[in-house]
């Protein structure tokens, strides 16, 4: 089912077709002088895909307030419709990652059929034990999987097991576990005992994983707990994943680190250890801002992809999962998600342009200037014509945001989906 009229898409593409072909040819000539075959890079770039988070198509909020947007999704079926628009216009977002219980429905087979009608499948399932739901017996105010109360821990484990069952019905192959457990005051929590309780709980979840599933452990330096968190950094995540077993791996969210942390080095370490689950792509300036990917630090995003491409080039066996994870407070979520998906694809394409043999030689010779110059040369290459050609080949929009705005989709959704009355507090 095509939500955006294909006639509009084709008409918009036709206006730019000659320029795209000329620009692609010109970029090909530039790359050929560097002994790079643009058609090979194009084929590799076309394989890239990143999942859309179901919650990402809604309007986010700040710690103090939330300002609803027009035409926001009312349920998971509306979310899939919006995700279908993103994939139709970019052709690089073929999967959706659900969050339970936010995305619960009465018929999972109906939801799976609705996704298939949009050309979508389901990525990792996400559990929620960081907020209380109506009717639950035990509160997560003081923790979930690591709570001092055994009944609360059992409730959190049961919820994760439910997420696995739902994921099996939808064709998912992974469960992402993030907890807000931690403390706000020194002495509030016994660090070692809390971690032991977390391991005890996650062992039960791990034991219930189907044979072909993976368990993604997500760390976060702070928030909602601001003194300590149980899985605070990649070391804690790695220790837990190593304890649980080979199906447990570490998820890297680019916004979950202290400022100036070398995220690409963490990525390299996890690849080497066989524990890299994948990524939640976003950007940040001060903390877990969940800004659009590459909006603040595009070079850092490129350096992350450089490690991924290098590992693939060297034949390292790994299978990272890619997902966007952003909070859209002042932009149209669909526009931001399209822009971020393209930015991730851009960083991947740029990383494919690095001269690996020359970089290896420079590193072996301790030639720091040449090594960093090789990375900068790839990063500073404008691969826009390449990305446009990839989208054109896939039947997507040369300029996704322009087609989206011309379609009037947001205005139609505003009319079809009644506005949610205003301004509650807290991040979605």
């Amino acid at each position: 089912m095509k939500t955006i009229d294909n006639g509009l898409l084709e008409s918009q593409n036709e206006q730019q077709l000659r320029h795209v072909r000329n620009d692609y040819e010109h970029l090909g000539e530039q790359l050929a002088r560097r002994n790079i075959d643009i058609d090979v890079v194009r084929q590799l770039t076309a394989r890239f895909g990143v999942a859309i988070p179901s919650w990402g198509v809604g309007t986010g909020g700040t710690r103090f307030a939330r300002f609803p947007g027009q035409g926001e999704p009312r349920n998971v079926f509306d979310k899939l419709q919006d995700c279908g628009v993103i994939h139709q216009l970019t052709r690089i977002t073929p999967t959706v990652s659900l969050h339970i219980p936010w995305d619960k429905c009465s018929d999972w087979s109906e939801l799976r059929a609705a996704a298939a009608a949009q050309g979508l499948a389901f990525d990792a399932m996400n559990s929620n034990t960081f907020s209380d739901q109506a009717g639950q017996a035990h509160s997560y105010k003081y923790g979930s999987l690591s709570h001092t109360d055994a009944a609360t821990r059992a409730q959190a484990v049961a919820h994760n097991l439910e997420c696995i069952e739902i994921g099996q019905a939808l064709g998912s192959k992974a469960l992402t576990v993030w907890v807000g457990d931690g403390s706000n005051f020194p002495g509030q929590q016994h660090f070692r005992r809390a971690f032991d309780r977390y391991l005890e709980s996650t062992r039960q979840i791990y034991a219930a994983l189907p044979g072909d599933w993976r368990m993604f452990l997500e760390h976060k330096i702070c928030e909602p707990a601001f003194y300590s968190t149980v899985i605070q950094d990649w070391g804690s995540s790695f220790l837990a994943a190593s304890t649980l077993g080979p199906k447990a791996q570490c998820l890297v969210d680019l916004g979950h680190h202290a400022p100036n942390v070398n995220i690409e080095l963490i990525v390299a370490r996890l690849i080497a250890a066989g524990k890299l689950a994948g990524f939640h792509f976003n950007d940040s300036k001060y903390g877990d801002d969940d800004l659009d990917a590459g909006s603040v630090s595009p070079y850092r995003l490129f350096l992350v992809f450089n490690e991924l491409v290098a590992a693939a080039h060297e034949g390292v066996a790994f299978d990272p999962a890619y997902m966007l994870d952003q909070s859209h407070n002042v932009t149209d979520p669909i526009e931001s998600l399209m822009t971020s998906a393209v930015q991730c694809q851009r960083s991947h394409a740029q990383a494919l342009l690095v001269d690996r043999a020359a970089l290896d030689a420079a590193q072996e010779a301790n030639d720091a200037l040449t090594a960093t110059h090789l990375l900068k040369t790839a990063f500073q290459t404008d691969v826009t014509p390449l990305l446009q050609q990839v989208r054109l080949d896939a039947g997507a929009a040369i300029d996704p945001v322009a087609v989206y705005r011309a379609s009037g989709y947001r205005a139609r959704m505003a009319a079809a989906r009644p506005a949610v009355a205003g301004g509650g507090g807290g991040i979605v």
Side-chain angles (χ1 to χ4, degrees):
M1 180 174 66
K2 307 301 182 184
T3 308
I4 303 297
D5 178 60
N6 268 335
L8 172 66
L9 192 157
E10 292 168 2
S11 173
Q12 293 271 330
N13 281 354
E14 184 65 32
Q15 297 174 30
Q16 303 176 68
L17 196 56
R18 180 172 60 87
H19 299 303
V20 170
R21 287 173 176 165
N22 289 341
D23 291 346
Y24 181 82
E25 183 179 351
H26 180 58
L27 177 60
E29 292 173 355
Q30 292 179 324
L31 295 179
R33 291 196 291 271
R34 290 153 53 182
N35 297 314
I36 299 172
D37 187 333
I38 190 173
D39 290 329
V40 172
V41 177
R42 184 174 106 195
Q43 292 168 10
L44 294 172
T45 301
R47 299 176 189 172
F48 179 82
V50 60
I52 295 293
S54 63
W55 59 95
V57 291
T59 303
T62 69
R63 189 178 313 286
F64 306 105
R66 177 178 179 273
F67 304 96
Q70 291 188 330
E72 286 190 299
R74 300 159 298 181
N75 52 51
V76 66
F77 291 93
D78 284 353
K79 293 175 183 178
L80 285 182
Q81 183 179 2
D82 288 358
C83 290
V85 170
I86 296 168
H87 186 50
Q88 181 186 355
L89 296 180
T90 65
R91 290 298 173 192
I92 51 176
T93 59
T95 55
V96 178
S97 190
L98 296 187
H99 212 296
I100 305 299
W102 294 344
D103 294 323
K104 273 196 169 183
C105 73
S106 59
D107 188 338
W108 297 114
S109 61
E110 181 186 4
L111 186 66
R112 191 169 184 175
Q118 297 283 353
L120 300 169
F122 291 99
D123 202 78
M125 300 296 297
N126 297 265
S127 60
N128 179 343
T129 62
F130 53 84
S131 63
D132 290 347
Q133 308 302 322
Q136 75 179 52
H138 306 281
S139 174
Y140 296 133
K141 180 176 181 178
Y142 296 110
S144 59
L145 294 176
S146 69
H147 202 288
T148 54
D149 176 59
T152 305
R153 296 197 302 273
Q155 175 183 272
V157 169
H159 169 66
N160 277 276
L161 300 186
E162 178 191 21
C163 290
I164 293 173
E165 293 178 2
I166 294 170
Q168 286 182 284
L170 294 174
S172 176
K173 297 292 183 182
L175 172 70
T176 297
V177 179
W178 175 77
V179 294
D181 299 23
S183 62
N184 285 313
F185 293 92
Q188 175 185 340
Q189 187 177 71
H190 192 293
F191 292 153
R192 285 180 285 114
R193 290 174 191 160
F195 188 70
D196 287 343
R197 291 192 295 267
Y198 172 86
L199 288 177
E200 176 192 4
S201 298
T202 50
R203 282 192 184 99
Q204 298 174 58
I205 301 169
Y206 185 91
L209 288 174
D212 57 349
W213 272 53
R214 291 188 289 168
M215 184 174 177
F216 299 163
L217 306 184
E218 184 176 0
H219 64 272
K220 189 175 185 181
I221 188 171
C222 65
E223 193 184 48
F226 281 97
Y227 174 66
S228 72
T229 55
V230 174
I231 304 296
Q232 186 169 29
D233 51 30
W234 78 276
S236 300
S237 177
F238 177 75
L239 180 59
S242 298
T243 301
L244 291 174
K247 290 188 288 187
Q249 296 179 309
C250 306
L251 186 71
V252 177
D253 185 307
L254 270 63
H256 286 189
H257 305 265
N260 301 321
V261 166
N262 193 328
I263 300 177
E264 57 268 27
L265 178 60
I266 295 171
V267 171
R269 293 286 185 266
L270 291 175
I271 291 173
K275 283 295 184 182
L276 179 65
F279 297 88
H280 282 181
F281 289 119
N282 50 56
D283 212 335
S284 65
K285 182 65 175 178
Y286 300 107
D288 185 14
D289 292 337
D290 289 339
L291 304 177
D292 292 7
S295 59
V296 176
S297 303
Y299 191 50
R300 181 175 66 181
L301 184 60
F302 162 78
L303 292 175
V304 167
F305 274 100
N306 176 61
E307 293 301 325
L308 297 168
V309 171
H313 175 76
E314 294 158 13
V316 177
F318 72 125
D319 182 24
Y322 299 141
M323 192 190 84
L324 301 174
D325 185 11
Q326 303 171 180
S327 180
H328 310 108
N329 308 320
V330 296
T331 60
D332 183 318
I334 290 177
E335 293 184 3
S336 272
L337 288 166
M338 289 193 297
T339 301
S340 291
V342 171
Q343 181 63 49
C344 290
Q345 187 187 41
R346 178 184 300 275
S347 297
H348 178 247
Q350 290 170 323
L352 291 169
L353 303 182
V354 174
D355 188 332
R356 297 292 158 190
L359 182 59
D360 285 345
Q363 290 171 342
E364 290 298 316
N366 296 307
D367 187 346
L369 189 64
T370 295
T372 199
H373 174 74
L374 288 165
L375 293 184
K376 281 290 185 70
T377 297
F379 172 69
Q380 291 170 347
T381 302
D382 184 4
V383 295
T384 299
L386 171 67
L387 303 183
Q388 291 175 333
Q389 186 62 54
V390 168
R391 288 196 293 274
L392 191 60
D393 292 342
I398 293 173
D399 187 340
V401 172
V403 174
Y404 171 74
R405 291 188 172 186
S407 73
Y409 178 82
R410 179 59 65 189
R412 295 201 308 274
M413 292 306 102
R417 304 169 182 171
V420 178
I427 298 173
V428 169

